[in-house]
Amino acid sequence: EMLSWKKAIGVNGYEIQKKSGNKWISVATTTANSYTLSKLNVGTAYNVRVRSYKTINDKKYYSSYVTLKVATKPNTPKITSPSSNSNHEIRVNWKTVSVCTGYQVQFAKDKKCKKVIATRTVKDKNSKSYTGKNFTKGRTYYVRVRSYKSVNGTKYYSEWSTVKTIKSK
């Protein structure tokens, strides 16, 4: 997860800490106004804080911390098989991913999904499918799925799955 902040004038660097349990652990010291956190778990929220410092006579003087919550994206689900039935419904099946809150399913009229006709949210993290209704018989549609993780009311989305093509019956 890439962190970045506005560069402070007249400082020598920044200290970054991550909360682990009830303790704050120093992660890095940098002179840049950005830092990439590594070795993070997928679909997980982290508390991070940053403060600047100025060195005078070999002694560091620190500013107050700025604390923020960051979250990593969940994994991208994989569509296993879209299908259509005689009721003009399209069923999308996918492999579930660990550590997510739910999924978003999108139906489009074009392969690049620029002409989206419906986006539906599936709030069950254990769900493996969604059935869309009222599609036009004989028309080709394109579907894709992504997972999301909700953290304090904010949704963090995975990348979209590979687009799959299905013709409505």
Side-chain angles (χ1 to χ4, degrees):
E1 187 70 33
M2 172 65 118
L3 302 173
S4 63
W5 51 89
K6 190 175 180 178
K7 190 170 183 94
I9 298 172
V11 300
N12 296 105
Y14 305 91
E15 178 186 29
I16 299 105
Q17 291 186 341
K18 180 175 74 170
K19 195 165 192 178
S20 178
N22 292 327
K23 294 183 178 186
W24 288 96
I25 298 169
S26 187
V27 174
T29 301
T30 181
T31 57
N33 62 323
S34 65
Y35 183 77
T36 301
L37 292 170
S38 59
K39 298 180 182 177
L40 301 177
N41 294 325
V42 174
T44 305
Y46 294 92
N47 289 308
V48 179
R49 64 185 187 180
V50 178
R51 67 179 176 176
S52 63
Y53 66 86
K54 173 117 180 126
T55 305
I56 301 173
N57 296 328
D58 294 329
K59 185 173 180 180
K60 287 183 179 177
Y61 295 89
Y62 293 94
S63 69
S64 300
Y65 281 106
V66 174
T67 304
L68 57 141
K69 184 168 265 199
V70 297
T72 56
K73 294 178 182 180
N75 287 327
T76 303
K78 182 179 179 182
I79 295 176
T80 56
S81 60
S83 60
S84 181
N85 64 30
S86 60
N87 293 331
H88 314 301
E89 298 174 333
I90 294 176
R91 182 178 175 92
V92 183
N93 299 306
W94 60 84
K95 290 184 179 179
T96 60
V97 298
S98 61
V99 194
C100 78
T101 304
Y103 301 90
Q104 244 186 4
V105 181
Q106 200 168 66
F107 299 92
K109 291 183 178 180
D110 65 310
K111 192 169 188 163
K112 293 190 178 190
C113 295
K114 297 210 182 273
K115 296 177 184 175
V116 174
I117 58 171
T119 302
R120 298 293 181 252
T121 300
V122 178
K123 295 180 180 178
D124 180 4
K125 68 180 181 178
N126 297 316
S127 182
K128 296 178 181 183
S129 67
Y130 176 82
T131 302
K133 299 178 181 180
N134 300 323
F135 291 95
T136 304
K137 181 180 180 180
R139 174 170 260 173
T140 299
Y141 293 95
Y142 302 88
V143 296
R144 62 185 183 173
V145 180
R146 67 180 176 177
S147 61
Y148 70 90
K149 173 77 174 176
S150 291
V151 178
N152 293 335
T154 302
K155 289 181 180 174
Y156 296 89
Y157 293 95
S158 72
E159 300 300 320
W160 285 105
S161 68
T162 303
V163 176
K164 296 289 185 173
T165 306
I166 184 70
K167 192 172 196 174
S168 179
K169 291 183 181 179

